[in-house]
């Protein structure tokens, strides 16, 4: 694990937590927590695991071109991955999830990680949909408004690049075959080519408009279900906002996870959620109490279940560290390959963006 990245994330989280609590009416905050009806957390958690089941079905659907894995076998893998996101920095749970899948089902990490990246892409697009549905009725604080703009650009560009790669399979294969011949020793050609072939396989869902629609609809259902958890936990507190406001809170709080922070989005999720509720005239003390309880209700159940599944699958922590370190090493190798290829091109040192994406 990269310690500097961990400490940087902790510093970012500390700043956002300070921002969230600065000037807080502590008496009102403790009153909001002490008078809350915490029984509402139970149906909220049940609904949340319904969303996790839907996420498992979506991944099962996206993996079926590679290997058919039952939802029953895939569910523990998904839960372990989300637990990893909650305890490792830089959302390393995505790598951990692919590692556990490889360990259990023999599916290569290149292909499964590609499907995970596509999941995050569609999640981001749904979050932006939620924002754009509600944004005309509210002025977001500047920071979160800028986050929405940056996210729109990032997810839009990513979608276009992935679509170009997936729908131009022959040209993409020619590009990475040429790149591999240029920078990879002959004895490694077969293995490296196989890795890129698996990545292309992971993009299979983008070749079919029907499959893309299915993934987008499923992603929308997942996030509407998760927003329902926000609604249930709201019933525990002395305030009320409409469901579309909670959709906006869901979107902005989860888009805030793009900001590097401590594991589990500590600070960034909370500051974003509190800001949205305050924009709809919810008292800061109540908004803060609700958002912190909500965050814990999102974090604790799946993390505990992930630990249990990890024990049941006999997966050791050092295996997770190894998987994360291998991922970082792969990133470094890609950067070295890009640099070597630019050096080899000489005057054309600016490698076309499409070719860089193929290398990745």
């Amino acid at each position: 694990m990269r310690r500097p990245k961990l400490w940087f994330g902790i510093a970012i989280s500390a700043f956002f937590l300070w921002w969230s609590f600065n000037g807080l009416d502590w008496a009102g905050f403790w009153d909001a927590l002490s008078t809350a009806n915490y029984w509402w957390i139970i149906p909220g958690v049940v609904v949340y695991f319904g969303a996790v089941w839907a996420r498992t079905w979506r991944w099962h659907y996206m993996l079926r071109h590679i290997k058919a894995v039952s939802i029953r076998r895939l569910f523990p893998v998904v839960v372990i991955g989300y637990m990893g996101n909650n305890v490792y920095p830089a959302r390393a749970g995505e790598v951990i999830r692919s590692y556990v899948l490889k360990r259990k089902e023999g599916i290569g990490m290149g292909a499964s990680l590609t499907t995970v990246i596509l999941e995050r892409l569609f999640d981001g697009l749904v979050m932006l949909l939620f924002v754009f549905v509600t944004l005309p009725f509210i002025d977001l604080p500047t920071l979160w408004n800028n986050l929405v703009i940056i996210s729109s650009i990032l997810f839009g560009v990513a979608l276009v690049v992935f679509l170009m790669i997936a729908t131009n399979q022959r040209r993409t294969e020619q590009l990475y075959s040429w790149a591999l011949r240029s920078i990879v020793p002959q004895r490694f050609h077969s293995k490296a080519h196989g890795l890129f072939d698996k990545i292309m396989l992971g993009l299979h869902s983008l070749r079919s408009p029907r499959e893309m629609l299915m993934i987008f609809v499923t992603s929308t259902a997942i996030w509407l279900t998760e927003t329902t958890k926000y609604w249930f936990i709201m019933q525990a507190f002395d305030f009320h906002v409409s469901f579309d406001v909670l959709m906006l809170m869901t979107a902005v709080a989860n888009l805030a996870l793009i900001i590097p922070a401590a594991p589990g989005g500590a600070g960034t999720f909370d500051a974003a959620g509190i800001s949205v509720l305050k924009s709809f005239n919810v008292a800061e003390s109540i908004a803060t109490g609700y958002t912190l309880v909500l965050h814990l209700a999102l974090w604790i159940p799946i993390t505990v279940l992930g630990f249990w599944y990890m024990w049941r699958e006999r997966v050791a922590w050092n295996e997770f560290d190894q998987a994360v370190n291998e991922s970082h090493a792969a990133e470094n190798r890609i950067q070295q390959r890009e640099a070597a290829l630019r050096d080899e091109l000489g005057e054309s040192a600016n490698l076309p963006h499409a070719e860089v994406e193929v290398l990745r």
Side-chain angles (χ1 to χ4, degrees):
M1 189 186 305
R2 293 177 176 179
R3 297 297 176 183
K5 182 179 290 188
L6 173 61
W7 288 113
F8 177 74
I10 291 173
I12 294 294
S13 289
F15 169 77
F16 278 101
L17 287 171
W18 169 82
W19 184 21
S20 300
F21 287 105
N22 187 37
L24 179 66
D25 172 14
W26 287 97
F29 171 72
W30 291 118
D31 182 64
L33 291 180
S34 62
T35 58
N37 182 0
Y38 292 104
W39 288 106
W40 283 102
I41 292 177
I42 296 175
V45 170
V46 172
V47 166
Y48 176 71
F49 277 107
V52 176
W53 183 92
R55 290 179 185 278
T56 306
W57 183 89
R58 180 180 62 179
W59 201 29
H60 155 83
Y61 182 80
M62 297 173 72
L63 287 171
R64 76 192 195 286
H65 300 294
I66 305 167
K67 181 181 178 181
V69 184
S70 69
I71 297 175
R72 181 181 61 82
R73 290 182 59 81
L74 208 53
F75 184 81
V77 182
V78 172
V79 173
I80 289 173
Y82 281 95
M83 178 272 291
N85 280 338
N86 288 339
V87 299
Y88 272 86
R91 296 189 67 82
E94 315 296 13
V95 177
I96 290 168
R97 182 173 19 147
S98 293
Y99 170 79
V100 176
L101 184 67
K102 177 182 177 182
R103 189 176 184 268
K104 286 189 63 174
E105 305 293 341
I107 296 177
M109 289 183 64
S112 62
L113 265 176
T114 304
T115 61
V116 171
I117 292 170
L118 289 183
E119 283 187 339
R120 297 291 78 79
L121 174 60
F122 279 92
D123 285 342
L125 294 174
V126 170
M127 293 297 93
L128 293 172
L129 174 64
F130 281 12
V131 171
F132 294 139
V133 165
T134 54
L135 198 56
F137 309 104
I138 182 65
D139 290 326
L140 282 176
T142 302
L143 173 62
W144 309 119
N145 191 62
N146 291 338
L147 176 67
V148 170
I149 294 172
I150 293 170
S151 300
S152 300
I153 295 171
L154 289 175
F155 286 116
V157 170
L159 179 61
V160 170
V161 170
F162 279 132
L163 283 173
M164 289 177 61
I165 292 174
T167 57
N168 293 276
Q169 183 176 2
R170 180 172 297 180
R171 173 167 171 74
T172 302
E173 289 176 351
Q174 290 173 345
L175 280 171
Y176 68 69
S177 296
W178 170 79
L180 291 173
R181 287 195 304 271
S182 301
I183 61 177
V184 177
Q186 178 67 37
R187 65 182 181 277
F188 298 127
H189 277 189
S190 177
K191 184 175 182 180
H193 203 286
L195 173 62
F196 283 106
D197 288 343
K198 291 176 181 176
I199 292 174
M200 289 298 297
L201 189 59
L203 292 173
H204 191 283
S205 298
L206 294 184
R207 299 176 198 167
S208 166
R210 179 180 177 276
E211 292 194 15
M212 286 181 60
L213 178 62
M214 180 69 75
I215 295 168
F216 184 79
V217 169
T218 305
S219 301
T220 303
I222 287 167
W223 285 104
L224 285 173
T225 304
E226 184 156 326
T227 304
T228 303
K229 176 174 184 173
Y230 289 46
W231 182 88
F232 272 116
I233 294 182
M234 179 181 68
Q235 308 310 309
F237 290 83
D238 187 23
F239 79 99
H240 177 78
V241 294
S242 61
F243 193 82
D244 58 338
V245 172
L246 294 179
M247 288 169 59
L248 179 63
M249 179 185 176
T250 301
V252 176
N254 282 278
L255 286 173
L257 299 179
I258 295 174
I259 301 171
T268 51
F269 177 95
D270 310 286
I274 293 167
S275 293
V276 171
L277 292 177
K278 286 170 60 180
S279 298
F280 287 90
N281 301 315
V282 178
E284 183 178 17
S285 56
I286 297 177
T288 303
Y290 163 76
T291 304
L292 290 179
V293 170
L294 171 66
H295 199 174
L296 288 173
L298 289 166
W299 192 92
I300 293 174
I302 200 162
T303 302
V304 171
L305 185 59
F307 279 128
W308 185 80
Y309 277 134
M310 179 180 162
W311 170 81
R312 195 189 73 171
E313 300 293 336
R314 294 181 173 83
V315 180
W317 281 108
N318 62 346
E319 293 183 73
F320 284 173
D321 288 327
Q322 180 182 352
V324 175
N325 290 335
E326 286 178 1
S327 175
H328 293 330
E331 291 178 10
N332 292 334
R333 287 195 297 270
I334 289 171
Q335 292 170 1
Q336 291 169 4
R337 290 170 186 171
E338 291 175 12
L341 187 53
R342 287 192 175 96
D343 291 341
E344 191 169 316
L345 289 175
E347 294 181 359
S348 304
N350 292 321
L351 189 62
H353 181 72
E355 294 178 12
V356 172
E357 292 301 326
V358 168
L359 281 173
R360 293 188 180 280

